[in-house]
């Protein structure tokens, strides 16, 4: 356990003798404990038991009771001192037996808190801990050729205990930071706990704005320091983890840098007399925000019903009820108005007072204006939607303002962050072939792309990024799926990096009033990304890829048609994101690997159990269709559904009847028109 070497098996007779001795000790100890006997002999018996078995929590609790029975506030300080020193010696002996004993370390903390109650000076304990940690690490470093003998280098119990002692002794964070420097520089770069402790200390000092710890200077100094570790031994992971943490601090902005919206500024939205009387208004920020409501987002328009607009967060994360990157409201229009002529309405949206996930108030107002065109027409399909014909090529003249990323005022540290990223990219380019170096270089190049505002140079890095992930797939097959996911993210960002590159994948579907269709099929995508640039898309073709999930599509509230056929989706729970798409009318999930039994995501049943076999009032849901029910019940506007080529339980009349009950407006199922 915890990487400790298992002792060689003893001879059977020796094992039997030890077991007999242990049972005898335990029997005598339990008798003393039940009778509350706290004599010196009984206490020594418990110490002997803990020397053999440091994990005996009952014995540690017994010693706590014994100590409290022997001392009080009026006890002689010298007596208290000797009793507590005795307890510390018992703990020390137990730790020799097992340096990672939870009970022993906790008991030492408890004893020390008692000592602190009576005495103010604990520097001696801190010095003992310094010597103990350094000696353990030196011993492990000397045994580095035999990892099985390294027991203490990653002893997080000792480091947690250290933080406890530091708090009691009120040792300064600057002194502790120097201690981590001594441990890393003088002993080994591979002490992960020291790097982690260093990140905690640096975060605290920067947050307090301590002298010499302003963000720009501190991060630059720490980056230069960690270079010694990653360039000396690029295989050792500890320094790389700290380096990743520093890069995250470099990129982390207190306020969102940009957001996208749909409708975008200057766009024209067409609504039809036949529609339900509302359309979604979407705000997408590059970090989670809260406080999006009718007072922070105001609407100025001739349309009725926008005064008390309700904004809701859109997220598949069930714990994300307040902060979200995506917020949606449904703007109403008068669908009962006669449509003998086209009616245009200007809508102005103003933002201000929204709070970022870092707690920063976005007080500077921003606004955008779009036009709603209410006209005669029919937006829904009259027949079955085909994914093979009915498409017209995209007119480049229509590409204006498709990518509606709106730049917000960057904080004062934006420029130095950009420069820091450039410096790190140059450093990593000089690193010999290393999977860590390649991975982090790819991440840095992606980060730099997000900071580029000049369209003339945007997208310059994507070819190199994609090649880096291809190299990693070949270099590190154990993590190939992760690299494929990251490759998909980079590829989608490349496709959406400019209107020119995106227009190659855009079409108009003439059978549904020329709605916008984005075709991303046959790209070997395994993950969905860059959706903030795709909010305008109404028809999306993701067929013939390697997707395992629909996660990310929940932000695309304008979607009415989705093709996810010929992917690697294994369950309906992987399609949970689609529940948020209230306008979805066509869904194709044919030829995947969706099964009807053994759903993966069991956390979904914490509130609604499939064992109850009950859905809404008056509706019984077969257990084998429960996952499907949880997704389909929210797709009330769906008219066409294709699930062919999956588990056979989805191909019978029973499933057809179930779907028609759950989705009452369904007309087409698996390519066949349903009869009344």
């Amino acid at each position: 356990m915890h990487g400790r070497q298992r002792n060689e098996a003893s001879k059977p007779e020796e094992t039997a003798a030890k077991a007999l001795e242990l049972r005898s000790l335990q029997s005598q100890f339990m008798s003393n404990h039940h009778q509350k006997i706290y004599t010196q002999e009984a206490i020594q018996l418990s110490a002997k038991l803990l020397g053999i078995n440091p994990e005996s929590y009952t014995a540690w609790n017994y010693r706590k009771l014994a100590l409290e029975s022997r001392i009080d506030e009026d006890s002689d300080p010298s007596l208290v001192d000797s009793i507590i020193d005795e307890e510390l010696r018992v703990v020390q002996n137990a730790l020799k037996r097992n340096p990672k004993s939870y009970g022993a370390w906790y008991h030492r903390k408890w004893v020390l808190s008692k000592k602190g109650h009576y005495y103010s000076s604990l520097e001696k304990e801190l010095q003992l801990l310094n010597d103990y940690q350094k000696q353990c690490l030196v011993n492990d470093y000397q045994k580095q050729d035999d990892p099985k003998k390294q027991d203490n280098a990653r002893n997080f119990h000792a480091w947690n205990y250290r933080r406890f002692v530091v708090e009691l002794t009120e040792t300064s964070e600057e002194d502790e930071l120097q201690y981590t420097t001594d441990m890393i520089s003088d002993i080994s770069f591979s002490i992960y706990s020291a790097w982690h402790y260093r990140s905690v200390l640096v975060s605290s000092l920067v947050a307090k704005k301590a002298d010499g710890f302003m963000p720009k200077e501190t991060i630059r100094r720490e980056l230069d320091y960690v270079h010694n570790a990653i360039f000396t031994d690029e295989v050792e992971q500890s320094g790389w983890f700290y380096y990743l943490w520093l890069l995250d601090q470099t990129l982390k902005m207190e306020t969102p840098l940009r957001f996208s919206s749909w409708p975008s500024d200057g766009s024209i939205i067409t609504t039809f007399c036949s529609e339900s009387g509302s359309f979604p208004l979407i705000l997408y920020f590059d970090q989670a925000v809260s406080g999006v409501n009718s007072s922070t987002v105001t609407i100025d328009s001739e349309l009725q019903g926008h005064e008390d607009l309700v904004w809701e967060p859109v997220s598949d994360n069930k714990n994300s009820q307040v902060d979200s990157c995506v917020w949606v409201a449904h703007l109403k229009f008068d669908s009962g108005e006669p449509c003998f002529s086209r009616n245009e309405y200007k809508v102005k949206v103003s933002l201000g007072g929204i709070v970022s996930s870092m707690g920063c108030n976005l007080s500077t107002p921003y606004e955008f204006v779009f036009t709603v065109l209410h006209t005669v027409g029919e937006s829904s399909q009259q027949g079955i939607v085909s994914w093979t014909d009915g498409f017209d090529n995209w007119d480049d003249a229509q590409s204006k303002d498709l990518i509606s990323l709106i730049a917000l005022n960057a904080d004062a540290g934006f420029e130095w962050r950009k420069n820091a990223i450039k410096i790190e990219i140059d450093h990593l380019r000089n690193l010999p072939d290393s999977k860590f170096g390649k991975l982090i270089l790819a991440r840095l190049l992606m980060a730099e792309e997000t900071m580029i505002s000049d369209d003339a140079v945007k997208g310059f890095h994507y070819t190199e990024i994609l090649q880096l992930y291809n190299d990693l797939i070949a270099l590190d097959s154990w993590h190939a799926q992760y690299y494929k996911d990251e490759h998909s993210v980079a590829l989608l960002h490349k496709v959406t990096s400019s209107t020119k590159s995106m227009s190659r994948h855009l079409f108009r579907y003439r059978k549904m009033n020329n709605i916008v269709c984005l075709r991303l099929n046959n790209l070997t995508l395994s993950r969905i990304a860059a959706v903030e640039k795709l909010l305008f898309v109404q028809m999306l073709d993701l067929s013939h890829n390697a997707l395992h999930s629909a996660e990310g599509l929940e932000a695309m509230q304008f979607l009415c048609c989705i093709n996810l056929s010929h992917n690697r989706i294994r369950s309906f729970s992987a399609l949970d994101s689609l529940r948020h798409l209230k306008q979805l009318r066509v869904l194709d999930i044919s030829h995947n690997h969706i099964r009807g039994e053994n759903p993966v995501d069991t956390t979904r049943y914490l509130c609604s159990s499939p064992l109850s076999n009950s859905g809404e009032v008056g509706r019984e849901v077969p257990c084998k269709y429960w996952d499907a029910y949880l997704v389909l019940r929210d797709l009330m506007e769906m008219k066409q559904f294709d699930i062919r080529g999956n588990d056979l339980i989805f191909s019978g009349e029973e499933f057809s009847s179930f779907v028609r009950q759950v989705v009452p407006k369904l007309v087409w199922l698996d390519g066949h028109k349903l009869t009344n």
Side-chain angles (χ1 to χ4, degrees), residues 508 514-517 536-540 558-562:
R508 290 280 186 181
N514 291 318
I515 63 173
V516 180
C517 177
F536 64 92
V537 174
Q538 297 164 284
M539 191 173 186
L540 180 61
F558 260 47
L559 279 177
C560 60
C561 305
I562 303 177

Side-chain angles (χ1 to χ4, degrees), residues 538 556-563 578-588 631 634-640 663:
Q538 297 164 284
M556 301 175 66
Q557 293 285 306
F558 260 47
L559 279 177
C560 60
C561 305
I562 303 177
N563 186 358
L578 303 183
R579 296 185 302 105
H580 302 285
L581 305 180
K582 306 304 182 184
Q583 298 197 115
L584 192 62
R585 298 176 183 176
V586 177
L587 175 60
D588 187 347
V631 175
D634 292 317
L635 305 180
M636 301 303 294
E637 299 299 319
M638 190 164 66
K639 296 185 178 182
Q640 180 178 324
V663 189

Side-chain angles (χ1 to χ4, degrees), residues 621-648:
V621 180
C623 289
K624 58 185 175 181
Y625 299 148
W626 186 259
D627 259 17
Y629 170 73
L630 292 177
V631 175
L632 297 177
R633 66 179 177 178
D634 292 317
L635 305 180
M636 301 303 294
E637 299 299 319
M638 190 164 66
K639 296 185 178 182
Q640 180 178 324
F641 182 44
D642 197 336
I643 193 174
R644 288 172 289 187
N646 289 285
D647 198 310
L648 290 176

Side-chain angles (χ1 to χ4, degrees), residues 318-385:
K318 297 177 179 60
N319 296 322
S320 180
Q321 298 298 320
V322 178
D323 290 357
S324 178
C325 292
V326 188
W327 292 80
V328 63
H330 292 273
L331 193 60
K332 297 180 180 179
F333 56 86
D334 187 4
S335 58
E337 178 182 327
C339 288
F340 302 117
S341 61
R342 293 153 60 96
N343 299 302
E344 291 188 3
Y345 304 96
K346 291 287 185 182
V347 179
K348 182 170 76 171
V349 182
S350 303
L351 288 73
I354 296 172
V355 181
S356 74
S357 57
M358 302 291 289
C360 184
N361 194 325
L362 306 182
S363 57
T364 306
Y366 307 95
E367 65 181 38
F368 57 95
V369 179
F370 61 91
T371 301
V372 177
L373 179 61
H374 195 49
T375 186
V376 181
E378 175 60 55
S379 64
S380 61
Q381 75 271 23
Q382 300 303 306
I384 191 169
V385 169

Side-chain angles (χ1 to χ4, degrees), residues 53 84 97 159 333 475 484 629 643:
N53 179 20
I84 287 180
R97 177 79 175 183
W159 288 92
F333 56 86
L475 186 65
K484 290 176 182 178
Y629 170 73
I643 193 174

Side-chain angles (χ1 to χ4, degrees), residues 222-285:
E222 290 298 305
L223 284 170
D224 291 339
Y225 177 71
V226 77
H227 284 166
N228 294 328
I230 62 177
F231 287 112
T232 300
D233 185 1
E234 65 269 14
V235 178
E236 172 55 48
Q237 299 181 32
S238 301
W240 283 110
F241 281 122
Y242 186 69
Y243 185 57
L244 281 171
W245 176 80
L246 283 174
L247 294 178
D248 184 58
Q249 305 309 302
T250 306
L251 296 171
K252 188 180 293 183
M253 309 294 290
E254 293 185 357
T255 62
L257 294 181
R258 61 182 64 82
F259 75 93
S260 61
S261 69
W262 191 259
S264 60
D265 190 30
S267 62
I268 299 176
I269 300 301
T270 302
T271 62
F272 300 92
C273 291
S274 60
E275 290 187 333
S276 60
S278 67
F279 62 88
L281 180 58
I282 312 165
L283 298 178
Y284 194 116
F285 295 87

